[in-house]
């Protein structure tokens, strides 16, 4: 049983209400901060993840974590990450990709070792299991009084993925059925006409590229200007740089300039 002193949830919930303002607009601060860069912190060291959050925090609107890849995990690491998020005004997105029956994801998001709902601002999910996955995630968040928002995975950037046009349409339809919980999509283009939905696009580099495992990279201008996305997700383009701060600034500028150049509806 987690003691009240040990629980991080009330503080996170209160601060999230100020920082994010509402579930429906969970990344509203990105326009005020003038950055649409989400850092994909694909590292296996908690120390390195926190160092990244501190060093590039001023240039990002969101940090995307894979908590289950960290070689050492302690809830205090995520408490510190939330403190850095508050300091630098970005949100924490746990890229867990929930995809199971409702009762299972309810336990996965609220409990276990990682206690994701206690520190994440945003999570994501596949809709393949049907609406039960979202009902379960909502119930899990409610258990710990969390103001979680959820991104639905509508499209992927890997070659040969099975998310076809019909699947994407059903994904958008399901988002409408869970409007108070779903804040947007993981997608390679704009899939929803709802202005409250944010579109996060993975696989972004400053030059088009591919890797040996099927990842297909697009430029900020392509995903923001031509495809209508909102947020660029960048991992290796920053992580493999000899100067990560300089790289983050470059992607921040490229993404924001693309957003400013995008035709306004």
């Amino acid at each position: 049983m987690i003691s009240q002193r040990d629980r991080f949830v009330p503080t996170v919930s209160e601060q999230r209400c100020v920082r994010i303002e509402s579930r429906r607009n969970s990344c509203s601060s990105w326009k005020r901060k003038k950055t649409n860069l989400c850092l994909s912190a694909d590292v296996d060291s908690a120390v390195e993840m926190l160092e990244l959050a501190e060093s590039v925090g001023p240039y990002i609107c969101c940090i995307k974590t894979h908590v289950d890849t960290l070689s050492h995990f302690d809830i205090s690491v995520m408490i510190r990450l939330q403190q850095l998020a508050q300091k630098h005004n970005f949100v924490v997105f746990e890229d867990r990709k929930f995809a199971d029956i409702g009762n299972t994801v309810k336990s996965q998001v609220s409990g276990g070792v990682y206690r994701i709902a206690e520190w994440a601002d945003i999570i994501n999910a596949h809709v393949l299991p049907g609406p039960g996955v979202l009902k379960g995630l909502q119930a899990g968040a409610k258990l710990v009084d969390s103001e979680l928002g959820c991104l639905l995975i509508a499209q992927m950037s890997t070659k040969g993925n099975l998310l076809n046009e019909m699947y994407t349409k059903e994904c958008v339809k399901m988002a409408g059925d869970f409007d108070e919980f779903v804040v947007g999509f993981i997608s390679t283009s704009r899939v929803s006409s709802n202005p409250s939905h944010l579109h996060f696009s993975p696989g972004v580099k400053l030059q088009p590229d591919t890797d040996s495992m099927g990842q297909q990279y697009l430029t900020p201008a392509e995903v923001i200007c031509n495809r209508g996305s909102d947020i660029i997700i960048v991992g290796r383009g920053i992580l493999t740089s000899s100067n990560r701060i300089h790289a983050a600034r470059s992607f921040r500028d490229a993404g924001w300039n693309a957003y400013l150049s995008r035709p306004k509806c």
Side-chain angles (χ1 to χ4, degrees):
M1 186 72 177
I2 302 169
S3 69
Q4 187 64 31
R5 179 184 61 80
D6 184 46
R7 287 177 66 92
F8 188 53
V9 181
T11 302
V12 173
S13 296
E14 292 167 5
Q15 292 166 345
R16 185 179 296 118
C17 288
V18 173
R19 186 174 70 256
I20 306 178
E21 298 178 359
S22 69
R23 295 178 189 171
R24 189 184 296 271
N25 200 11
S26 64
C27 283
S28 61
S29 63
W30 67 281
K31 291 184 180 179
R32 295 192 298 272
K33 194 175 177 182
K34 298 183 179 180
T35 175
N36 55 349
L37 171 61
C38 172
L39 170 66
S40 184
D42 299 326
V43 296
D44 59 14
S45 164
V47 172
E48 184 178 5
M49 179 184 69
L50 294 176
E51 288 174 346
L52 274 168
E54 178 70 276
S55 62
V56 307
Y59 313 108
I60 64 175
C61 65
C62 178
I63 189 167
K64 183 170 75 71
T65 61
H66 283 286
V67 70
D68 56 358
T69 69
L70 296 177
S71 57
H72 169 74
F73 175 83
D74 186 274
I75 196 67
S76 64
V77 172
M78 310 318 290
I79 291 175
R80 178 56 182 155
L81 182 61
Q82 267 292 351
Q83 290 170 344
L84 292 172
Q86 295 157 30
K87 175 182 177 180
H88 295 299
N89 194 25
F90 61 78
V91 295
V92 178
F93 163 26
E94 168 54 26
D95 189 8
R96 178 62 178 77
K97 297 183 177 72
F98 293 95
D100 214 318
I101 63 171
N103 193 57
T104 298
V105 299
K106 176 184 175 182
S107 297
Q108 288 174 330
V109 75
S110 63
V113 175
Y114 301 121
R115 294 155 52 180
I116 292 169
E118 295 190 18
W119 49 263
D121 298 304
I122 304 171
I123 55 173
N124 60 355
H126 288 289
V127 299
L128 185 64
V133 66
L134 297 182
K135 291 178 181 178
L137 291 171
Q138 277 188 302
K142 187 176 181 180
L143 276 178
V144 294
D145 192 28
S146 171
E147 292 291 328
L148 269 178
C150 186
L151 298 168
L152 302 187
I153 302 166
Q155 297 173 329
M156 296 185 73
S157 57
T158 52
K159 184 177 181 180
N161 76 80
L162 303 180
L163 305 191
N164 58 25
E165 185 176 353
M166 181 178 295
Y167 184 94
T168 299
K169 288 181 178 178
E170 288 299 314
C171 186
V172 174
K173 181 178 180 294
M174 199 176 297
D177 294 336
F178 291 84
D179 199 38
E180 292 299 316
F181 182 51
V182 174
V183 298
F185 303 91
I186 299 293
S187 61
T188 57
S189 61
R190 180 166 293 274
V191 299
S192 169
S193 59
N194 186 332
S196 71
H197 285 154
L198 287 173
H199 294 73
F200 285 63
S201 287
V204 176
K205 283 190 173 181
L206 295 178
Q207 299 295 329
D209 197 6
T210 59
D211 71 8
S212 61
M213 295 188 181
Q215 177 66 293
Q216 302 173 109
Y217 292 99
L218 299 172
T219 66
E222 174 63 24
V223 298
I224 301 295
C225 292
N226 299 338
R227 301 190 180 206
S229 191
D230 301 301
I231 310 295
I232 57 173
I233 301 175
V234 180
R236 279 173 276 186
I238 294 173
L239 299 181
T240 61
S241 173
S242 59
N243 188 329
R244 290 174 168 179
I245 294 176
H246 176 77
R249 286 174 178 162
S250 296
F251 276 101
R252 186 271 314 266
D253 293 345
W256 189 248
N257 288 336
Y259 171 74
L260 294 178
S261 300
R262 187 172 72 185
K264 301 298 187 291
C265 299

